[in-house]
Amino acid sequence: MNVRRLIPTTAVAGAVVLGLTALSACSTSDAADGGNGDKLKVTASFYPMQFLAERIGGEHVAVTSLTKPGVEPHDLELTPRQIGSISESDYVLYLKGIQPAVDDAILQSGVKNTVDAATLTTLENHGSEVSGHDHGHEEEAHEDEAHEEHAEGDGHNHGEEGGADPHIWLDPVKYAEVAKGVGKSLEKADPDHAADYKKNTEALVGELDKLNTAYETGLKNTATKTFITTHSAFGYLAERYGLTQQGIAGIDPEAEPSPARIQEIHTIAEKEKATTVFFETLASDRTAKTLAKDTGLKTGVLDPLEGITKKSQGADYIEVMESNLTALQKALGAK
């Protein structure tokens, strides 16, 4: 099978975050007094939530993100000032299970309009090692047997400690479901501008539908269905488009893989004709480079879109997801 060469796709996430921070910087002052200047004061936990709040809220919201550009969201520690700012918000949008520090602070903030994106769609358990469609590789996931209580072959391996996989935004269909829920909750929180929130939600959902179609079409005919990644963030995406994600480590991007797992990846890469080890923009690429060198694979960037920096391949969520699609098509040998 001839699999075409993969070109790294990294720069997108950065530009977005910068643009968004600039946005929130100018609007936050208007809203400094709990909605002063008629803007709803919105706190978003990290980039995928910020993108939704800004796109759906439009001119009626002043959005502040708790996670600065370039910071790995899983590692976020909040300052006392940030914790205070959550309590002063009119509306908080977060995704439970990604950032424990944020989950705790929001719980204690007492903000009435608090929305957990995880409740707006269905979360699933994806294995820390194998995600998406199993394609008969259950036996290759033996490393994590302790955590995997699923019926063999059901396509869902249970993630670390049996926890649900929070990376729902990487599936455009699930992200659209979340967008609809965010739109409805903003209409309730700020009924005066409900018509605009509704209109903005419909526009965004339309874009996400288009993105989903592009992925469906672009990944239909490929030389291989398996991709290898240092961060097992792509379980929902793999499942949606009939791919198999082989994570070097688990859902935690900084986790070091075991020597047994690295050996296993060698075998899988050969068997499944995988060409590329993907790393991400916000975490170290050391593991990917070592593994690629050992196995003769190429490296490329698949961006989990947890933040946008100068390195990101695009200025916002949609553009980075388009870059991810291009990277996947090259790595999988799309025909």
PDB file of all heavy atoms in Angstrom, residues 171-187:
ATOM      1  N   ASP A 171     -14.712  15.527  18.365  1.00  0.00           N
ATOM      2  CA  ASP A 171     -15.727  14.941  17.479  1.00  0.00           C
ATOM      3  C   ASP A 171     -16.693  16.071  17.121  1.00  0.00           C
ATOM      4  O   ASP A 171     -17.440  16.541  17.974  1.00  0.00           O
ATOM      5  CB  ASP A 171     -16.457  13.816  18.235  1.00  0.00           C
ATOM      6  CG  ASP A 171     -17.668  13.278  17.481  1.00  0.00           C
ATOM      7  OD1 ASP A 171     -18.015  13.822  16.414  1.00  0.00           O
ATOM      8  OD2 ASP A 171     -18.280  12.306  17.969  1.00  0.00           O
ATOM      9  N   PRO A 172     -16.691  16.537  15.860  1.00  0.00           N
ATOM     10  CA  PRO A 172     -17.534  17.681  15.490  1.00  0.00           C
ATOM     11  C   PRO A 172     -19.014  17.460  15.771  1.00  0.00           C
ATOM     12  O   PRO A 172     -19.749  18.404  16.053  1.00  0.00           O
ATOM     13  CB  PRO A 172     -17.308  17.823  13.980  1.00  0.00           C
ATOM     14  CG  PRO A 172     -15.998  17.162  13.708  1.00  0.00           C
ATOM     15  CD  PRO A 172     -15.870  16.064  14.724  1.00  0.00           C
ATOM     16  N   VAL A 173     -19.472  16.197  15.744  1.00  0.00           N
ATOM     17  CA  VAL A 173     -20.888  15.912  15.991  1.00  0.00           C
ATOM     18  C   VAL A 173     -21.210  16.135  17.472  1.00  0.00           C
ATOM     19  O   VAL A 173     -22.197  16.775  17.833  1.00  0.00           O
ATOM     20  CB  VAL A 173     -21.242  14.469  15.554  1.00  0.00           C
ATOM     21  CG1 VAL A 173     -22.702  14.150  15.851  1.00  0.00           C
ATOM     22  CG2 VAL A 173     -20.950  14.292  14.063  1.00  0.00           C
ATOM     23  N   LYS A 174     -20.346  15.622  18.347  1.00  0.00           N
ATOM     24  CA  LYS A 174     -20.569  15.827  19.788  1.00  0.00           C
ATOM     25  C   LYS A 174     -20.400  17.304  20.157  1.00  0.00           C
ATOM     26  O   LYS A 174     -21.139  17.842  20.986  1.00  0.00           O
ATOM     27  CB  LYS A 174     -19.595  14.965  20.612  1.00  0.00           C
ATOM     28  CG  LYS A 174     -20.001  13.496  20.632  1.00  0.00           C
ATOM     29  CD  LYS A 174     -19.314  12.752  21.747  1.00  0.00           C
ATOM     30  CE  LYS A 174     -19.769  11.318  21.822  1.00  0.00           C
ATOM     31  NZ  LYS A 174     -21.161  11.187  22.289  1.00  0.00           N
ATOM     32  N   TYR A 175     -19.425  17.949  19.534  1.00  0.00           N
ATOM     33  CA  TYR A 175     -19.179  19.371  19.818  1.00  0.00           C
ATOM     34  C   TYR A 175     -20.404  20.199  19.393  1.00  0.00           C
ATOM     35  O   TYR A 175     -20.775  21.157  20.076  1.00  0.00           O
ATOM     36  CB  TYR A 175     -17.934  19.809  19.051  1.00  0.00           C
ATOM     37  CG  TYR A 175     -17.253  21.076  19.556  1.00  0.00           C
ATOM     38  CD1 TYR A 175     -17.018  21.315  20.910  1.00  0.00           C
ATOM     39  CD2 TYR A 175     -16.795  22.032  18.643  1.00  0.00           C
ATOM     40  CE1 TYR A 175     -16.366  22.455  21.341  1.00  0.00           C
ATOM     41  CE2 TYR A 175     -16.136  23.177  19.059  1.00  0.00           C
ATOM     42  CZ  TYR A 175     -15.924  23.388  20.416  1.00  0.00           C
ATOM     43  OH  TYR A 175     -15.263  24.530  20.830  1.00  0.00           O
ATOM     44  N   ALA A 176     -21.048  19.815  18.299  1.00  0.00           N
ATOM     45  CA  ALA A 176     -22.266  20.509  17.859  1.00  0.00           C
ATOM     46  C   ALA A 176     -23.391  20.314  18.876  1.00  0.00           C
ATOM     47  O   ALA A 176     -24.159  21.240  19.156  1.00  0.00           O
ATOM     48  CB  ALA A 176     -22.692  20.008  16.482  1.00  0.00           C
ATOM     49  N   GLU A 177     -23.466  19.109  19.457  1.00  0.00           N
ATOM     50  CA  GLU A 177     -24.476  18.866  20.503  1.00  0.00           C
ATOM     51  C   GLU A 177     -24.232  19.795  21.690  1.00  0.00           C
ATOM     52  O   GLU A 177     -25.153  20.381  22.250  1.00  0.00           O
ATOM     53  CB  GLU A 177     -24.411  17.408  20.993  1.00  0.00           C
ATOM     54  CG  GLU A 177     -24.996  16.401  20.023  1.00  0.00           C
ATOM     55  CD  GLU A 177     -24.722  14.951  20.448  1.00  0.00           C
ATOM     56  OE1 GLU A 177     -24.245  14.717  21.590  1.00  0.00           O
ATOM     57  OE2 GLU A 177     -24.989  14.050  19.630  1.00  0.00           O
ATOM     58  N   VAL A 178     -22.942  19.919  22.060  1.00  0.00           N
ATOM     59  CA  VAL A 178     -22.584  20.800  23.177  1.00  0.00           C
ATOM     60  C   VAL A 178     -22.949  22.244  22.814  1.00  0.00           C
ATOM     61  O   VAL A 178     -23.524  22.979  23.626  1.00  0.00           O
ATOM     62  CB  VAL A 178     -21.082  20.679  23.517  1.00  0.00           C
ATOM     63  CG1 VAL A 178     -20.682  21.705  24.570  1.00  0.00           C
ATOM     64  CG2 VAL A 178     -20.757  19.268  24.021  1.00  0.00           C
ATOM     65  N   ALA A 179     -22.631  22.653  21.586  1.00  0.00           N
ATOM     66  CA  ALA A 179     -22.921  24.024  21.136  1.00  0.00           C
ATOM     67  C   ALA A 179     -24.414  24.332  21.289  1.00  0.00           C
ATOM     68  O   ALA A 179     -24.796  25.404  21.768  1.00  0.00           O
ATOM     69  CB  ALA A 179     -22.487  24.204  19.687  1.00  0.00           C
ATOM     70  N   LYS A 180     -25.268  23.374  20.904  1.00  0.00           N
ATOM     71  CA  LYS A 180     -26.723  23.591  21.022  1.00  0.00           C
ATOM     72  C   LYS A 180     -27.114  23.807  22.480  1.00  0.00           C
ATOM     73  O   LYS A 180     -27.921  24.687  22.797  1.00  0.00           O
ATOM     74  CB  LYS A 180     -27.490  22.393  20.450  1.00  0.00           C
ATOM     75  CG  LYS A 180     -27.443  22.320  18.924  1.00  0.00           C
ATOM     76  CD  LYS A 180     -28.127  21.045  18.426  1.00  0.00           C
ATOM     77  CE  LYS A 180     -27.806  20.795  16.960  1.00  0.00           C
ATOM     78  NZ  LYS A 180     -28.199  19.452  16.524  1.00  0.00           N
ATOM     79  N   GLY A 181     -26.546  22.992  23.371  1.00  0.00           N
ATOM     80  CA  GLY A 181     -26.846  23.128  24.801  1.00  0.00           C
ATOM     81  C   GLY A 181     -26.364  24.458  25.365  1.00  0.00           C
ATOM     82  O   GLY A 181     -27.053  25.096  26.177  1.00  0.00           O
ATOM     83  N   VAL A 182     -25.181  24.894  24.920  1.00  0.00           N
ATOM     84  CA  VAL A 182     -24.625  26.182  25.376  1.00  0.00           C
ATOM     85  C   VAL A 182     -25.542  27.311  24.900  1.00  0.00           C
ATOM     86  O   VAL A 182     -25.859  28.244  25.655  1.00  0.00           O
ATOM     87  CB  VAL A 182     -23.177  26.381  24.865  1.00  0.00           C
ATOM     88  CG1 VAL A 182     -22.703  27.806  25.119  1.00  0.00           C
ATOM     89  CG2 VAL A 182     -22.233  25.379  25.543  1.00  0.00           C
ATOM     90  N   GLY A 183     -25.985  27.218  23.643  1.00  0.00           N
ATOM     91  CA  GLY A 183     -26.889  28.236  23.106  1.00  0.00           C
ATOM     92  C   GLY A 183     -28.145  28.367  23.947  1.00  0.00           C
ATOM     93  O   GLY A 183     -28.539  29.470  24.354  1.00  0.00           O
ATOM     94  N   LYS A 184     -28.758  27.224  24.266  1.00  0.00           N
ATOM     95  CA  LYS A 184     -29.999  27.243  25.072  1.00  0.00           C
ATOM     96  C   LYS A 184     -29.747  27.840  26.454  1.00  0.00           C
ATOM     97  O   LYS A 184     -30.556  28.600  26.974  1.00  0.00           O
ATOM     98  CB  LYS A 184     -30.549  25.820  25.215  1.00  0.00           C
ATOM     99  CG  LYS A 184     -31.176  25.294  23.928  1.00  0.00           C
ATOM    100  CD  LYS A 184     -32.149  24.143  24.222  1.00  0.00           C
ATOM    101  CE  LYS A 184     -32.782  23.608  22.944  1.00  0.00           C
ATOM    102  NZ  LYS A 184     -31.920  22.610  22.273  1.00  0.00           N
ATOM    103  N   SER A 185     -28.587  27.458  27.050  1.00  0.00           N
ATOM    104  CA  SER A 185     -28.322  27.955  28.408  1.00  0.00           C
ATOM    105  C   SER A 185     -28.044  29.463  28.396  1.00  0.00           C
ATOM    106  O   SER A 185     -28.392  30.169  29.338  1.00  0.00           O
ATOM    107  CB  SER A 185     -27.167  27.183  29.044  1.00  0.00           C
ATOM    108  OG  SER A 185     -25.978  27.436  28.351  1.00  0.00           O
ATOM    109  N   LEU A 186     -27.430  29.969  27.324  1.00  0.00           N
ATOM    110  CA  LEU A 186     -27.206  31.425  27.224  1.00  0.00           C
ATOM    111  C   LEU A 186     -28.537  32.154  27.018  1.00  0.00           C
ATOM    112  O   LEU A 186     -28.742  33.244  27.556  1.00  0.00           O
ATOM    113  CB  LEU A 186     -26.240  31.751  26.081  1.00  0.00           C
ATOM    114  CG  LEU A 186     -24.749  31.601  26.412  1.00  0.00           C
ATOM    115  CD1 LEU A 186     -23.892  31.695  25.148  1.00  0.00           C
ATOM    116  CD2 LEU A 186     -24.275  32.640  27.432  1.00  0.00           C
ATOM    117  N   GLU A 187     -29.438  31.554  26.259  1.00  0.00           N
ATOM    118  CA  GLU A 187     -30.768  32.166  26.077  1.00  0.00           C
ATOM    119  C   GLU A 187     -31.465  32.321  27.432  1.00  0.00           C
ATOM    120  O   GLU A 187     -32.115  33.332  27.703  1.00  0.00           O
ATOM    121  CB  GLU A 187     -31.644  31.291  25.167  1.00  0.00           C
ATOM    122  CG  GLU A 187     -31.258  31.318  23.689  1.00  0.00           C
ATOM    123  CD  GLU A 187     -32.068  30.319  22.862  1.00  0.00           C
ATOM    124  OE1 GLU A 187     -33.301  30.232  23.068  1.00  0.00           O
ATOM    125  OE2 GLU A 187     -31.460  29.615  22.024  1.00  0.00           O
TER     126      GLU A 187
END
